[in-house]
């Protein structure tokens, strides 16, 4: 059984991006810049944004963190996005989700200029992805594709089952795996909360992607022997014995599932790190398009 180590793959991707950034700086160009908007003080969101900023710095990108209070109104957020859209020194814009109730996620996503949409959530990016046109790929599925490529896990002709149909993970993942691209060409089944015979379908999966947000939901009796299992789930589960008072759990019961698989991603240390790698790659791509490099 192969452990799909996200740390290893993300480090390799970051090394390449760092070298490219160094070359840009040497030739007198500015560094790529990512702007992140963080609203409120949700613990997980704080951690994700801090990690994105830190990773930018590690590879020589610059970053801009815009913070708003939990009670900020929608118009002010949209105004800030318009400002960042117009700022030539900003290549990529991300708004950390989830948002407080008074702010429409859809309006925020659609306000970002598609040329700076490094999260790949804008309908324009999603439409291009669906039609197989060059576009920003949502960072998590993008990171998973990089992982499949890094470990040369053959996907052609395989049956992939994706649990979860969100716009940020499940749906774009299913599109990529079914596309006629390297590490695509799977026959894909997408499952969701109304799928009645989930276990039966999962048992047919050569590649199983779990992205439903239910800790340790996927058990050994749902997994075909020798399957590749990709665990996207990240849930904080309260645990008094842990230093922080919680532990991060994936959607897969790793201890019982891992021995049955041919390859599996751990949580933490798997897909989460690849998501950041995807975001950084998208930011460099945005920079190149926006500056004409
Ligand atoms: P979401 O809540 O938007 O979507 C969950 C999906 O799972 C829905 O489509 C729903 O129909 C499906 N679902 C829920 N219960 C189900 C069940 N019992 N059986 C079958 N399907 C079921 O979640 P999301 O934003 O796609 O995130 C999913 C998980 O991935 C979460 O734990 C999230 O924290 C995590 N996540 C991790 C990363 C990462 O970098 N590793 C990135 C994004 C999201």
């Amino acid at each position: 059984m192969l452990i799909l180590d996200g740390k290893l793959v993300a480090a390799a991707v970051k090394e390449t991006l760092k070298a490219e950034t160094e070359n840009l700086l040497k030739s007198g160009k500015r560094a790529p810049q990512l702007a992140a908007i963080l609203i409120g003080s949700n613990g997980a969101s704080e951690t994700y944004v801090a990690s994105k900023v830190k990773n930018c710095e590690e590879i020589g990108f610059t970053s801009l963190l815009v913070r708003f209070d939990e009670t900020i109104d929608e118009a002010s957020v949209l105004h800030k996005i318009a400002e960042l859209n117009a700022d030539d020194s900003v290549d990529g814009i991300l708004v950390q989700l989830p948002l407080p109730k008074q702010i429409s996620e859809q309006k925020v996503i659609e306000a970002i200029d598609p040329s700076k949409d490094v999260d790949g959530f804008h309908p324009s990016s999603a439409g291009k992805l669906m039609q197989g046109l060059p576009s920003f790929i949502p960072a998590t599925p993008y990171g998973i594709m990089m992982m499949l490529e890094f470990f040369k896990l053959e996907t052609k002709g395989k049956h992939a089952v994706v649990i979860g149909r969100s716009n940020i993970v499940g749906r774009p993942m299913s599109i990529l795996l079914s596309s006629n691209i390297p590490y695509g060409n799977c026959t894909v089944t997408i499952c969701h909360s109304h799928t009645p015979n989930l276990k039966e379908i999962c048992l047919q999966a050569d590649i199983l992607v779990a992205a439903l947000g239910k800790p340790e939901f996927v058990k050994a009796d749902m997994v075909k022997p020798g399957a590749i299992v990709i665990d996207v789930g990240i849930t904080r589960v309260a645990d008094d014995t842990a230093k922080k008072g919680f532990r991060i759990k994936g959607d897969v019961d790793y201890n019982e599932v891992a021995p049955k698989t041919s390859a599996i991603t751990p949580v933490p240390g798997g897909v989460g790190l690849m998501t950041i790698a995807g975001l950084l790659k998208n930011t460099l791509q945005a920079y190149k398009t926006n500056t004409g490099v």
Side-chain angles (χ1 to χ4, degrees), residues 157-162 187-189 191 197-208 221-228:
K158 299 274 169 72
H159 184 193
V161 172
V162 179
T187 302
V188 178
T189 304
C191 300
N197 50 341
L198 186 68
K199 181 175 165 186
E200 197 183 300
I201 295 170
C202 289
L203 276 168
Q204 296 168 28
D206 302 309
I207 300 166
L208 180 62
D221 66 356
M222 297 167 74
V223 177
K224 179 174 162 180
I228 296 167

Side-chain angles (χ1 to χ4, degrees), residues 53-82:
V53 167
K54 181 170 157 267
N55 274 273
C56 277
E57 284 163 7
E58 280 171 8
I59 61 165
F61 289 7
T62 54
S63 62
L64 190 67
L65 175 56
V66 181
R67 277 177 170 277
F68 285 117
D69 197 74
E70 184 78 28
T71 56
I72 189 80
D73 59 290
E74 187 179 88
S76 305
V77 177
L78 295 177
H79 181 74
K80 178 45 84 178
I81 293 173

Side-chain angles (χ1 to χ4, degrees), residues 140 163-166 168-169 191-193 198 211-214 217 232-235 251 271-272 275:
T140 303
I163 316 176
R165 59 178 165 188
S166 72
I168 67 171
V169 190
C191 300
H192 46 75
S193 47
L198 186 68
L212 67 160
K214 299 238 154 61
F217 179 91
V232 183
I234 299 182
T235 307
D251 286 344
V271 173
T275 296

